[in-house]
């Protein structure tokens, strides 16, 4: 399922606008949806357009967030 | 202080192997992760293994399907195993 990401909350619940079903043959019941809310716990993957991602920023943020306790002083 | 996640921290910006629930395997470059093991992987190759049983011969037929994804967020709760940089492939 694809769409414009509207918002994400603390549980990684996701609200999508103007959704399109990628595989309508398999999920005909979803074709009628325009907007939807997806419970975070059932999400497996979210595909992201790579050109919109600053990988260096992500890597630095992750290193900082997960830095060993000893170096946080 | 050493902790298991340190191993993953040292794998940032390297290609990693991730085994997931549902017979799914991912290989990709680790860009970010958090304490839940939610991850952002780049240039990902996903392999899904399915097995069917041939009704006539009772033999297992193993099928592997792969697909490529440029940038992927993976929810941590499906992750079974993370292995540091692959020296092969």
């Amino acid at each position: 399922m694809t769409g414009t990401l509207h918002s994400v909350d603390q549980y990684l619940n996701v609200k999508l606008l103007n959704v399109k079903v990628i595989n309508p043959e398999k999920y005909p019941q979803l074709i009628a949806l325009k907007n939807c809310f997806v419970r975070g716990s059932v999400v497996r993957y979210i595909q992201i357009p790579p050109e919109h991602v600053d990988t260096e920023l992500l890597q630095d943020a992750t290193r900082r967030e997960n830095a060993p306790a000893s170096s946080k002083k | 202080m050493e902790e298991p996640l340190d191993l993953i921290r040292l794998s940032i910006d390297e290609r990693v192997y991730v085994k997931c629930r549902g017979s799914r395997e991912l290989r990709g470059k680790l860009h970010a992760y958090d304490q839940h093991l939610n991850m952002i992987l780049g240039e990902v190759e996903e392999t899904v293994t399915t097995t069917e049983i041939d009704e006539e011969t009772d033999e297992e037929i193993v099928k592997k399907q792969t697909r490529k994804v440029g940038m992927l967020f993976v929810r941590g709760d499906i992750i079974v195993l993370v292995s540091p940089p692959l020296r092969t492939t």
Side-chain angles (χ1 to χ4, degrees), chain A:
Chain A
M1 178 171 273
T2 184
T4 308
L5 182 61
H6 175 266
S7 53
V8 181
D9 69 12
Q10 55 178 341
Y11 304 110
L12 297 179
N13 293 329
V14 164
K15 192 172 170 187
L16 298 172
L17 303 181
N18 296 318
V19 299
K20 271 204 200 97
V21 184
I22 301 282
N23 196 344
E25 299 81 19
K26 199 171 169 190
Y27 306 105
Q29 72 276 24
L30 299 179
I31 294 173
L33 293 185
K34 187 152 179 271
N35 304 328
C36 73
F37 173 91
V38 183
R39 187 177 152 96
S41 63
V42 301
V43 171
R44 181 186 294 138
Y45 304 135
I46 298 178
Q47 297 188 23
I48 310 165
E51 60 274 17
H52 293 166
V53 181
D54 182 345
T55 56
E56 210 168 301
L57 188 72
L58 277 176
Q59 291 171 13
D60 290 346
T62 304
R63 286 198 188 93
R64 225 173 300 127
E65 184 181 328
N66 299 288
S70 55
S71 67
K72 274 185 186 162
K73 286 174 194 170

Side-chain angles (χ1 to χ4, degrees), chain B residues 30-45:
Chain B
L30 180 64
H31 289 304
Y33 71 93
D34 64 14
Q35 66 272 36
H36 306 291
L37 243 45
N38 295 322
M39 286 182 180
I40 307 279
L41 298 173
E43 295 151 53
V44 190
E45 190 182 82

